[in-house]
Amino acid sequence: RIQGPTLPGATATINRGTTTFNVVEFYNADDVTFDSLTLTGGVHAIWAGSAGGAERFTLTNSTITGNSSWGINWSGGNEAARFVGNTFANNDWGIVTGALRSVIEDNLFVFNSSGGIWIRSGGGTRADWLTVRNNRVLDSIGTGISVEGGALVIANEVTGHTSWGISVTTSAAEVRDNEVYGNRSGIQVGPALIAGNRVYANTDAGLDNYNAGVMEGNIIYANAVGIRNGDGAVIRNNVIYNNTAAGIIVGGIADAGDGLFNNTIVQATGDAVQLAGSARNVVLRNNILGAASGYAINVGSANQVGFQSDFNLFWLTGTGRVGFWENRAFATRLDWSLELGHDQESVEADPQ
C-alpha cells in the first residue's frame, strides 16, 4: 500500500516530468493500493500492460492530472481493479481499460481532451462485466463514456462533450439510470439495452441508434430530436416531449419484433413520429402521439412498405394533424383510418 496524506490541504505528488515515460508501471504486482496521491507529468499516470499479472489493484482518493496520454492505461489481464473517489483532469482520456470485473465508481472526470472513460474490451458474460457507476463525467472535446466491451454503465452524470455523452458499440452492455445532458448528442445506441436514462438539452439527438438497440423507460426532452433510429430497434415505454425538430425519426429497416410500443411522444413543434431515409416495416402500437403544429405520424413516400399503426391515442392541439401520407395531410384519425386503413382501433382524445 502506498498511502498519501489525508490531512486537509496536504498532498503527496509524484511528477514524472517527461512525456516519454509513464509515472507508475505495474508488472506482476497483485493487491496493491494507492490512496491520496497526485500522479502527473507522464505519458500515462498508471500503466499495466496486457501481459497481466496485476490483479485487484485499488486507486482511491487520488488525483490523476496533466498526463500527455491516458491517465490510467489498465489493460485486460489485470482483472478486478477498483478506481473509486478519484479526480481525473487534463489528460487525454481519464481511464482506458478492459480489465474484467473492474469497478469505476464515484470519480470526477473533467477537461480530459478525448473523453472520460473508455471501456475498450471486457467480458462477454455478465459476471465479467465492468461497472461504471455514479461518476461525474464533464467537459471534453470527445465522448464522455465510450463502451466497446461488457459493462454496466449506471447512475452517472455526463455533460459538456462535443461528441456523444455516452457511446455504446457492443451488445454486451447496459446503460441505465444516467443523466445525460448538454452534449452534442446524448447516447449513441449500439445493439445494447438503454433504459431509465434522463436525456435532455443535447444539441442534436437525445438517443442516436445505429444498430438494433433496445430503448425503454427513458425520459427524453429538449433535444433537437428525441430519438434518431437509423436501424431496426425496439423503442418502448419512453416519455419523449418538447424536442424541437421531432420526437422520433425512424430511418432504418425494421426486423420482426422491432417497433414503437407504449411510448408517450408529445411535440409542441415538429412531428411526433417521422419516417424517412430507408425506413421500412415500421410498427406503431399503443402509443400516445401528441402534435401541436406538425403531424403525429409523418410517413415519407419511400417509407410506406410494411407500415403498421394501430391502438394509439392521438392528442391533437393547435394546428396538429394525425398524419401525412402520399404527400397529403390527414387532419383527423377518421380520415386517416377510412382512406388508408391505418389506426382503425385508435382514438383521438386528450389523454388526461
Side-chain angles (χ1 to χ4, degrees), residues 149-173:
L152 172 64
V153 180
I154 185 167
N156 301 282
E157 178 189 359
V158 186
T159 186
H161 305 284
T162 60
S163 185
W164 294 285
I166 300 174
S167 172
V168 185
T169 59
T170 175
S171 60

Side-chain angles (χ1 to χ4, degrees), residues 319-331:
T319 58
R321 290 167 285 186
V322 164
F324 189 81
W325 183 278
E326 287 284 4
N327 296 318
R328 292 177 53 201
F330 292 82

Side-chain angles (χ1 to χ4, degrees), residues 215 217-221 226-227 235-243 246-248 260-267 272-273 285-291 296 312-313 315 351-352:
M215 294 160 275
N218 302 285
I219 299 174
I220 305 167
Y221 60 95
I227 296 176
I235 303 173
R236 62 192 177 207
N237 300 317
N238 301 284
V239 175
I240 304 167
Y241 64 96
N242 287 351
N243 299 283
I248 298 178
L260 282 64
F261 310 112
N262 304 310
N263 302 285
T264 296
I265 310 166
V266 178
Q267 285 293 116
V273 177
R285 289 285 188 276
N286 299 315
N287 302 284
I288 296 173
L289 304 175
N312 301 295
L313 186 151
W315 181 28
Q352 298 183 12

Side-chain angles (χ1 to χ4, degrees), residues 60-342:
T60 52
N61 306 313
S62 295
T63 298
I64 307 298
T65 186
N67 299 283
S68 64
S69 188
W70 309 335
I72 306 292
N73 181 358
W74 197 264
S75 297
N78 304 283
E79 318 306 5
R82 298 181 69 250
F83 305 96
V84 181
N86 306 289
T87 296
F88 298 83
N90 297 302
N91 308 286
D92 179 45
W93 281 90
I95 292 180
V96 179
T97 186
L100 305 182
R101 300 180 300 282
S102 293
V103 175
I104 302 169
E105 184 173 21
D106 294 327
N107 303 284
L108 171 64
F109 297 83
V110 62
F111 301 134
N112 297 287
S113 57
S114 292
I117 301 168
W118 182 3
I119 306 302
R120 296 187 73 188
S121 59
T125 64
R126 184 65 180 257
D128 284 333
W129 281 12
L130 290 81
T131 300
V132 179
R133 179 170 50 222
N134 202 36
N135 302 282
R136 299 186 70 217
V137 186
L138 317 178
D139 300 321
S140 78
I141 60 172
T143 297
I145 302 173
S146 179
V147 182
E148 298 176 1
L152 172 64
V153 180
I154 185 167
N156 301 282
E157 178 189 359
V158 186
T159 186
H161 305 284
T162 60
S163 185
W164 294 285
I166 300 174
S167 172
V168 185
T169 59
T170 175
S171 60
E174 291 185 10
V175 177
R176 288 186 173 274
D177 303 329
N178 302 282
E179 184 177 11
V180 184
Y181 64 97
N183 308 285
R184 189 199 71 192
S185 292
I187 303 175
Q188 182 191 36
V189 182
L193 174 62
I194 312 297
N197 303 282
R198 182 178 294 272
V199 185
Y200 62 94
N202 298 285
T203 56
D204 189 19
L207 303 186
D208 196 350
N209 172 61
Y210 75 95
N211 188 4
V214 176
M215 294 160 275
E216 66 178 14
N218 302 285
I219 299 174
I220 305 167
Y221 60 95
N223 309 282
V225 177
I227 296 176
R228 181 182 292 112
N229 184 29
D231 195 5
V234 176
I235 303 173
R236 62 192 177 207
N237 300 317
N238 301 284
V239 175
I240 304 167
Y241 64 96
N242 287 351
N243 299 283
T244 55
I248 298 178
I249 298 177
V250 180
I253 300 173
D255 297 320
D258 292 341
L260 282 64
F261 310 112
N262 304 310
N263 302 285
T264 296
I265 310 166
V266 178
Q267 285 293 116
T269 60
D271 303 323
V273 177
Q274 184 182 116
L275 276 59
S278 60
R280 303 284 192 281
N281 305 325
V282 177
V283 177
L284 285 80
R285 289 285 188 276
N286 299 315
N287 302 284
I288 296 173
L289 304 175
S293 61
Y295 298 98
I297 304 173
N298 184 339
V299 182
S301 58
N303 311 120
Q304 299 167 7
V305 175
F307 176 78
Q308 301 176 49
S309 182
D310 211 349
F311 303 101
N312 301 295
L313 186 151
F314 294 99
W315 181 28
L316 306 177
T317 59
T319 58
R321 290 167 285 186
V322 164
F324 189 81
W325 183 278
E326 287 284 4
N327 296 318
R328 292 177 53 201
F330 292 82
T332 67
R333 186 207 64 86
L334 185 61
D335 293 338
W336 175 256
S337 175
L338 289 177
E339 186 157 349
L340 302 176
H342 304 317

